[in-house]
Amino acid sequence: MEAASEMRTETITLNMGPQHPSTHGVLRVILEMEGEVITKATPVMGYLHRGIEKIAENKTYHQFITLTDRLDYTSPFINNLAYVLAVEKLLDLEIPLRAQYIRVMLSEITRIQSHLIWLGTHALDIGAMSPLLYTFREREETLDMFEMVGGARMNQSYFRIGGLAGDLPDGFLEKVKAFCDLLPSRIDGYETLLTENIIWLERTKGVGVISAEEGIELGLSGPCLRGCGVKWDLRKANPYSSYDHFDFEIPTGEKGDSYDRYLVRMEEMRQSNRIVKQVLDKLPSGEINACNPKVVPPLKENVQNNVESLIIHFHLMTEGFEVPKGEAYCSVESSKGELGFYVVSDGSNKPYRIKIRTPSFVNMESLSTMTEGRMMADMVTVIGSIDICLGEIDR
Amino acid sequence: MSNIESLVEKIKDKFPQAIEEVVCFRDDYTIRVKREHLLEVFRFLKEEPEYGFNFLSDLCGVDYMGREPRFEVVYHLYSMEHKHRLRMKVSLSEEDLTIPSIVSIWRTANWHERECYDLLGIKFSDHPDLRRILTPDGFKDHPLRKDFPLRGRQTMGED
């Protein structure tokens, strides 16, 4: 009797991470728990802070491209694109259509790749192991394609200010076509594993709910916001790099829970595949770099045979080029949401200030709203379904 | 498409005492607003349906060392309905680095302002939770300031 009256409950504080497999990197969440229920969740980050914005101020405009790959390392081409668009806006450059289309194609393959990683790891977190094995099989194909154009599996830095590092290699378009033909059936395959799987439904339906109004207030963007039913996609709303030349739908959800976010991303992969196919059909021939010798380096064969080209090349590689004084903000729809680059130029060859608006950083702000009042196990689901990348949160 | 142009003109007429400068560069409009009128102008921009700036894309600080006033806070507003953007700026001198927080208008500003405080040392008054966000708690400086060295070591203060 006496023992029972002395029994009491108390709030405990639990550290999740920074070394925890389901936080997708070095994220720490301080949880205040009433039993199994989370009463307060406070994310702590910065463990991966490399000072990329500070480094940018000490590099020439071209040199910084390699660092943009290292923000969200699951979608390198989209990061490149957002940055080069901002600098091209400052320079007022006209990009040839072929280069724009190639940029669109690679961005969309990147989106598919990023979603494949998300699907595999998200499902793994919740206990479904097999999707990872299948999604990484297809991801391997995309990495092979990336290696063909950029020479590396990750961090290719293939987009350059004014265009691209080089034209597409032989056999690349055939490889993309084979991949595009295969992918829809593969996505069907993932869906048979999850979409009607009772365990998956139980773990994701009604978990991590956020309303559209709250999402907008909290700056949520990308598939997370579309999962709440907001039909907003920068590729349609403010088209860049000729996205308006292609037909695609913007999938949306209704309830704003983890399951709707899952459905949105699955459909997004199909739509991206659609865009890639259209690029394959429409891809024009022609130049891949803007006609501006002050920014775009001369062709390799000219550098080897002509001393003026060699001098220009040397100058561009060592000194870089000067960018008119001013500022520009350019944002693109990355695989995770609105990715924006705010570039301030003081007229010199190095950016005066670069601020990167990364979608993961802002989307993470909703984590507390989505998880407070829910069970501890839902935290894992929600972190996975927001699809964060610590590389771009901490910068 | 110069709808935003006429809207900017209207803001100038509505808040003549609050607006310091309007710049258009590469079709983007930038409005520099006085700190005292910041909240009033932002509320108007959010609540007036014609403007409809319901989404705060970004907020950041810039250090213009050697210039007076030295600091600037830059806001990027976006309207999901009208699909237009507007850049707002507030200048701050080094002696008085405080600016009203806009968390009461857009909740997303919370982390952006924390980041701005962390990296540049700009203080946001009435912010609900103004702590460092990217650098460790015991860190002493504000690394994005232009006088902060690119390399070096710092022993961490007590937390």
Side-chain angles (χ1 to χ4, degrees):
Chain A
M1 277 294 280
E2 216 171 77
S5 64
E6 274 176 17
M7 269 170 69
R8 60 200 171 87
T9 57
E10 62 181 88
T11 311
I12 60 160
T13 308
L14 194 69
N15 255 317
M16 184 173 174
Q19 314 290 345
H20 190 284
S22 68
T23 55
H24 295 250
V26 274
L27 167 71
R28 174 178 162 212
V29 189
I30 302 171
L31 302 173
E32 277 175 32
M33 315 276 303
E34 290 277 2
E36 275 280 296
V37 178
I38 300 165
T39 52
K40 192 164 186 272
T42 317
V44 180
M45 56 271 201
Y47 295 94
L48 207 62
H49 182 59
R50 294 150 290 174
I52 283 185
E53 290 171 3
K54 180 83 177 175
I55 299 171
E57 295 169 7
N58 296 279
K59 294 234 176 270
T60 62
Y61 282 92
H62 249 141
Q63 283 174 332
F64 182 61
I65 296 178
T66 52
L67 284 162
T68 61
D69 292 298
R70 285 147 178 87
L71 291 165
D72 174 5
Y73 37 78
T74 64
S75 39
F77 288 110
I78 304 182
N79 298 340
N80 288 172
L81 183 60
Y83 170 66
V84 298
L85 282 178
V87 181
E88 282 161 4
K89 189 169 176 182
L90 280 171
L91 287 160
D92 206 11
L93 281 185
E94 183 94 21
I95 308 303
L97 202 59
R98 182 174 171 85
Q100 292 192 23
Y101 276 32
I102 294 175
R103 284 176 174 185
V104 167
M105 173 167 68
L106 287 167
S107 298
E108 291 311 312
I109 300 175
T110 308
R111 193 182 314 278
I112 294 170
Q113 188 238 198
S114 171
H115 284 0
L116 287 173
I117 299 176
W118 156 80
L119 179 65
T121 53
H122 180 39
L124 186 68
D125 286 345
I126 307 183
M129 194 166 179
S130 30
L132 181 85
L133 305 172
Y134 295 112
T135 57
F136 271 58
R137 179 186 57 190
E138 271 71 72
R139 177 180 180 247
E140 208 49 42
E141 299 263 324
T142 62
L143 290 183
D144 285 348
M145 293 189 255
F146 293 168
E147 196 176 358
M148 280 176 90
V149 294
R153 283 161 59 85
M154 292 178 84
N155 306 331
Q156 296 84 3
S157 310
Y158 177 62
F159 297 173
R160 298 294 158 87
I161 295 158
L164 304 167
D167 210 333
L168 297 173
D170 291 340
F172 179 76
L173 294 175
E174 290 75 24
K175 200 166 167 60
V176 174
K177 187 167 186 319
F179 177 75
C180 280
D181 292 339
L182 189 71
L183 189 70
S185 64
R186 290 289 158 90
I187 298 174
D188 291 342
Y190 315 144
E191 291 222 58
T192 54
L193 290 170
L194 295 172
T195 305
E196 286 167 32
N197 179 332
I198 185 73
I199 306 172
W200 182 256
L201 293 174
E202 294 275 331
R203 289 298 305 271
T204 57
K205 269 204 161 174
V207 173
V209 181
I210 189 161
S211 69
E213 296 74 42
E214 218 164 4
I216 294 171
E217 273 294 299
L218 285 165
L220 205 63
S221 57
C224 294
L225 187 64
R226 289 193 282 277
C228 316
V230 182
K231 204 168 185 164
W232 179 61
D233 186 317
L234 284 166
R235 291 174 293 172
K236 276 263 197 244
N238 305 73
Y240 50 90
S241 197
S242 358
Y243 263 105
D244 45 348
H245 295 192
F246 306 103
D247 284 333
F248 59 99
E249 303 295 323
I250 310 170
T252 52
E254 284 167 13
K255 300 188 187 71
D257 59 2
S258 299
Y259 186 68
D260 279 8
R261 292 193 277 276
Y262 156 77
L263 290 179
V264 165
R265 288 200 183 91
M266 295 308 272
E267 184 54 31
E268 263 183 24
M269 283 198 267
R270 295 179 202 274
Q271 295 299 332
S272 294
N273 198 47
R274 229 177 110 189
I275 299 174
V276 177
K277 272 188 176 164
Q278 290 173 53
V279 176
L280 289 176
D281 292 341
K282 290 186 187 172
L283 188 66
S285 56
E287 294 294 318
I288 50 149
N289 272 308
C291 183
N292 187 336
K294 282 187 176 164
V295 175
V296 177
L299 290 173
K300 193 78 183 171
E301 56 181 75
N302 291 348
V303 175
Q304 283 164 339
N305 296 311
N306 173 333
V307 73
E308 272 86 27
S309 297
L310 180 69
I311 294 168
I312 295 170
H313 188 271
F314 180 76
H315 180 73
L316 277 176
M317 291 305 133
T318 50
E319 296 283 310
F321 48 82
E322 283 165 6
V323 169
K325 195 173 173 177
E327 52 200 358
Y329 178 83
C330 256
S331 61
V332 303
E333 187 72 30
S334 105
S335 52
K336 297 171 174 66
E338 178 183 352
L339 172 68
F341 275 77
Y342 173 53
V343 183
V344 182
S345 165
D346 59 351
S348 73
N349 60 346
K350 291 173 183 161
Y352 187 77
R353 167 92 163 97
I354 287 188
K355 164 73 206 274
I356 311 161
R357 187 260 192 227
T358 54
S360 296
F361 178 81
V362 189
N363 288 355
M364 263 271 289
E365 251 185 295
S366 306
L367 184 71
S368 320
T369 313
M370 289 182 187
T371 50
E372 277 164 15
R374 306 282 318 183
M375 307 287 267
M376 165 78 199
D378 293 340
M379 181 54 112
V380 176
T381 311
V382 173
I383 291 178
S385 85
I386 298 178
D387 189 17
I388 53 168
C389 176
L390 268 297
E392 67 171 9
I393 291 179
D394 294 342
R395 278 158 285 155
Chain B
M1 269 311 284
S2 62
N3 183 26
I4 187 79
E5 192 182 338
S6 61
L7 289 175
V8 170
E9 286 301 317
K10 273 198 204 166
I11 305 173
K12 267 205 277 191
D13 295 341
K14 175 134 178 84
F15 300 101
Q17 74 292 0
I19 310 279
E20 286 180 334
E21 171 190 36
V22 175
V23 182
C24 180
F25 179 71
R26 305 267 188 256
D27 303 328
D28 285 351
Y29 279 88
T30 306
I31 300 181
R32 190 185 300 277
V33 90
K34 282 188 190 144
R35 181 174 60 179
E36 306 82 79
H37 301 281
L38 171 77
L39 291 176
E40 172 194 359
V41 175
F42 276 16
R43 253 197 206 104
F44 172 80
L45 289 174
K46 186 186 180 190
E47 280 158 16
E48 193 67 26
E50 210 179 348
Y51 295 86
F53 287 106
N54 59 342
F55 192 77
L56 177 75
S57 273
D58 191 26
L59 184 165
C60 68
V62 186
D63 175 9
Y64 291 99
M65 197 170 72
R67 209 173 84 175
E68 194 49 49
R70 179 173 164 181
F71 290 93
E72 232 171 43
V73 180
V74 186
Y75 305 84
H76 285 96
L77 312 184
Y78 182 76
S79 159
M80 283 189 181
E81 195 194 336
H82 306 293
K83 301 178 175 48
H84 51 216
R85 285 188 189 282
L86 187 61
R87 185 181 302 130
M88 304 293 287
K89 279 185 177 181
V90 179
S91 299
L92 291 174
S93 70
E94 201 176 351
E95 293 75 42
D96 186 12
L97 266 183
T98 332
I99 183 168
S101 163
I102 56 161
V103 176
S104 57
I105 305 176
W106 292 283
R107 264 168 72 195
T108 176
N110 189 329
W111 283 18
H112 287 300
E113 289 180 348
R114 277 178 67 187
E115 187 190 317
C116 189
Y117 161 72
D118 186 4
L119 301 181
L120 284 151
I122 294 165
K123 291 186 188 70
F124 293 85
S125 54
D126 300 322
H127 188 283
D129 182 27
L130 197 62
R131 286 180 294 127
R132 286 186 180 269
I133 190 164
L134 292 177
T135 59
D137 285 341
F139 201 71
K140 285 179 202 135
D141 294 293
H142 303 290
L144 266 186
R145 288 196 178 183
K146 289 283 176 184
D147 48 7
F148 186 83
L150 191 62
R151 287 172 183 212
R153 278 177 178 277
Q154 185 185 103
T155 41
M156 222 52 89
E158 283 191 17
D159 177 22

Short mmCIF file of all heavy atoms in Angstrom, two decimals, chain A residues 30 47 54 120 128 133 181 200 244 249 262 273 275 296 308 335 339 341 353 388:
data_model
loop_
_atom_site.label_atom_id
_atom_site.label_comp_id
_atom_site.label_asym_id
_atom_site.label_seq_id
_atom_site.Cartn_x
_atom_site.Cartn_y
_atom_site.Cartn_z
N ILE A 30 16.54 17.24 -28.38
CA ILE A 30 16.34 17.08 -26.94
C ILE A 30 14.84 16.88 -26.72
O ILE A 30 14.04 17.74 -27.07
CB ILE A 30 16.83 18.32 -26.17
CG1 ILE A 30 18.30 18.57 -26.48
CG2 ILE A 30 16.61 18.14 -24.68
CD1 ILE A 30 18.83 19.86 -25.95
N TYR A 47 26.46 20.66 -35.85
CA TYR A 47 27.59 19.75 -35.73
C TYR A 47 28.36 19.62 -37.04
O TYR A 47 29.51 19.21 -37.06
CB TYR A 47 27.11 18.35 -35.29
CG TYR A 47 26.52 18.34 -33.91
CD1 TYR A 47 25.15 18.48 -33.72
CD2 TYR A 47 27.33 18.22 -32.79
CE1 TYR A 47 24.59 18.48 -32.45
CE2 TYR A 47 26.79 18.22 -31.52
CZ TYR A 47 25.42 18.35 -31.35
OH TYR A 47 24.89 18.36 -30.10
N LYS A 54 31.02 31.64 -45.27
CA LYS A 54 32.25 32.40 -45.02
C LYS A 54 33.31 32.04 -46.07
O LYS A 54 34.00 32.92 -46.59
CB LYS A 54 32.75 32.08 -43.61
CG LYS A 54 34.01 32.80 -43.20
CD LYS A 54 33.73 34.19 -42.70
CE LYS A 54 34.99 34.88 -42.22
NZ LYS A 54 34.72 36.26 -41.83
N GLY A 120 14.23 4.77 -49.46
CA GLY A 120 14.93 3.64 -48.88
C GLY A 120 15.22 3.84 -47.40
O GLY A 120 14.92 2.98 -46.57
N ALA A 128 10.96 -1.28 -42.45
CA ALA A 128 10.81 -2.00 -43.71
C ALA A 128 12.17 -2.02 -44.38
O ALA A 128 12.63 -1.00 -44.89
CB ALA A 128 9.77 -1.33 -44.60
N LEU A 133 16.94 -1.94 -50.47
CA LEU A 133 17.73 -2.76 -51.40
C LEU A 133 17.33 -2.47 -52.84
O LEU A 133 18.15 -2.45 -53.73
CB LEU A 133 17.55 -4.24 -51.07
CG LEU A 133 17.87 -4.61 -49.62
CD1 LEU A 133 17.47 -6.04 -49.33
CD2 LEU A 133 19.34 -4.42 -49.32
N ASP A 181 12.60 4.29 -69.28
CA ASP A 181 11.64 3.26 -69.64
C ASP A 181 11.42 2.28 -68.50
O ASP A 181 10.33 1.74 -68.33
CB ASP A 181 12.11 2.51 -70.90
CG ASP A 181 12.07 3.41 -72.12
OD1 ASP A 181 11.32 4.42 -72.06
OD2 ASP A 181 12.78 3.14 -73.11
N TRP A 200 2.99 -0.22 -42.71
CA TRP A 200 3.37 1.11 -43.22
C TRP A 200 2.26 2.12 -42.96
O TRP A 200 2.52 3.25 -42.52
CB TRP A 200 3.67 0.99 -44.73
CG TRP A 200 4.12 2.26 -45.38
CD1 TRP A 200 3.38 3.07 -46.19
CD2 TRP A 200 5.41 2.88 -45.29
NE1 TRP A 200 4.12 4.13 -46.60
CE2 TRP A 200 5.37 4.04 -46.06
CE3 TRP A 200 6.59 2.55 -44.61
CZ2 TRP A 200 6.47 4.89 -46.20
CZ3 TRP A 200 7.68 3.39 -44.74
CH2 TRP A 200 7.62 4.55 -45.53
N ASP A 244 9.05 25.90 -68.14
CA ASP A 244 7.73 26.11 -68.74
C ASP A 244 7.59 25.43 -70.10
O ASP A 244 6.51 25.42 -70.67
CB ASP A 244 7.41 27.61 -68.83
CG ASP A 244 8.59 28.41 -69.37
OD1 ASP A 244 9.69 27.84 -69.45
OD2 ASP A 244 8.40 29.59 -69.71
N GLU A 249 2.63 17.48 -63.81
CA GLU A 249 1.63 17.79 -62.80
C GLU A 249 2.33 18.03 -61.46
O GLU A 249 3.42 17.53 -61.23
CB GLU A 249 0.66 16.62 -62.62
CG GLU A 249 -0.05 16.19 -63.88
CD GLU A 249 -0.98 17.26 -64.41
OE1 GLU A 249 -1.60 17.94 -63.58
OE2 GLU A 249 -1.06 17.42 -65.64
N TYR A 262 4.59 10.87 -48.31
CA TYR A 262 5.10 9.70 -49.04
C TYR A 262 4.46 9.62 -50.43
O TYR A 262 5.15 9.49 -51.44
CB TYR A 262 4.81 8.43 -48.21
CG TYR A 262 4.75 7.14 -48.99
CD1 TYR A 262 5.91 6.51 -49.42
CD2 TYR A 262 3.52 6.55 -49.28
CE1 TYR A 262 5.85 5.32 -50.13
CE2 TYR A 262 3.46 5.37 -49.99
CZ TYR A 262 4.62 4.75 -50.42
OH TYR A 262 4.56 3.59 -51.13
N ASN A 273 10.24 11.77 -64.10
CA ASN A 273 10.55 10.85 -65.19
C ASN A 273 9.91 11.34 -66.49
O ASN A 273 10.51 11.28 -67.56
CB ASN A 273 10.03 9.46 -64.81
CG ASN A 273 10.65 8.38 -65.65
OD1 ASN A 273 11.85 8.37 -65.82
ND2 ASN A 273 9.82 7.49 -66.19
N ILE A 275 9.28 14.46 -67.23
CA ILE A 275 10.04 15.62 -67.73
C ILE A 275 11.30 15.15 -68.45
O ILE A 275 11.62 15.63 -69.54
CB ILE A 275 10.40 16.58 -66.57
CG1 ILE A 275 9.13 17.11 -65.91
CG2 ILE A 275 11.25 17.73 -67.07
CD1 ILE A 275 9.39 17.93 -64.67
N VAL A 296 33.07 32.68 -69.80
CA VAL A 296 33.19 31.27 -70.18
C VAL A 296 34.59 31.00 -70.69
O VAL A 296 35.07 31.69 -71.59
CB VAL A 296 32.13 30.93 -71.26
CG1 VAL A 296 32.29 29.50 -71.71
CG2 VAL A 296 30.74 31.19 -70.72
N GLU A 308 46.64 33.11 -77.27
CA GLU A 308 45.68 34.05 -76.66
C GLU A 308 44.66 33.29 -75.79
O GLU A 308 44.34 33.71 -74.69
CB GLU A 308 44.91 34.84 -77.74
CG GLU A 308 45.59 36.11 -78.18
CD GLU A 308 46.58 35.83 -79.28
OE1 GLU A 308 46.37 34.83 -80.01
OE2 GLU A 308 47.56 36.56 -79.39
N SER A 335 14.86 19.04 -54.41
CA SER A 335 14.09 17.84 -54.06
C SER A 335 13.43 18.00 -52.69
O SER A 335 12.51 17.27 -52.36
CB SER A 335 15.01 16.63 -54.06
OG SER A 335 16.14 16.88 -53.26
N LEU A 339 15.10 26.15 -52.57
CA LEU A 339 16.52 26.37 -52.33
C LEU A 339 16.89 27.70 -52.98
O LEU A 339 16.77 27.86 -54.19
CB LEU A 339 17.34 25.24 -52.96
CG LEU A 339 18.85 25.44 -52.96
CD1 LEU A 339 19.41 25.39 -51.56
CD2 LEU A 339 19.53 24.41 -53.83
N PHE A 341 19.55 31.15 -53.37
CA PHE A 341 20.88 31.76 -53.18
C PHE A 341 20.73 33.27 -53.27
O PHE A 341 20.23 33.78 -54.26
CB PHE A 341 21.87 31.28 -54.24
CG PHE A 341 22.53 29.98 -53.91
CD1 PHE A 341 21.85 28.79 -54.05
CD2 PHE A 341 23.85 29.94 -53.45
CE1 PHE A 341 22.45 27.58 -53.74
CE2 PHE A 341 24.46 28.73 -53.16
CZ PHE A 341 23.77 27.56 -53.29
N ARG A 353 28.95 38.53 -50.30
CA ARG A 353 28.19 37.77 -49.31
C ARG A 353 27.30 36.79 -50.05
O ARG A 353 26.71 37.15 -51.08
CB ARG A 353 27.33 38.72 -48.47
CG ARG A 353 26.26 38.05 -47.60
CD ARG A 353 26.79 37.74 -46.22
NE ARG A 353 25.71 37.46 -45.27
CZ ARG A 353 25.30 36.23 -44.95
NH1 ARG A 353 25.82 35.17 -45.54
NH2 ARG A 353 24.37 36.07 -44.04
N ILE A 388 15.29 15.44 -44.34
CA ILE A 388 16.30 16.47 -44.07
C ILE A 388 17.66 16.00 -44.56
O ILE A 388 17.90 14.81 -44.72
CB ILE A 388 16.39 16.79 -42.57
CG1 ILE A 388 16.60 15.51 -41.75
CG2 ILE A 388 15.18 17.56 -42.12
CD1 ILE A 388 16.99 15.76 -40.33
#
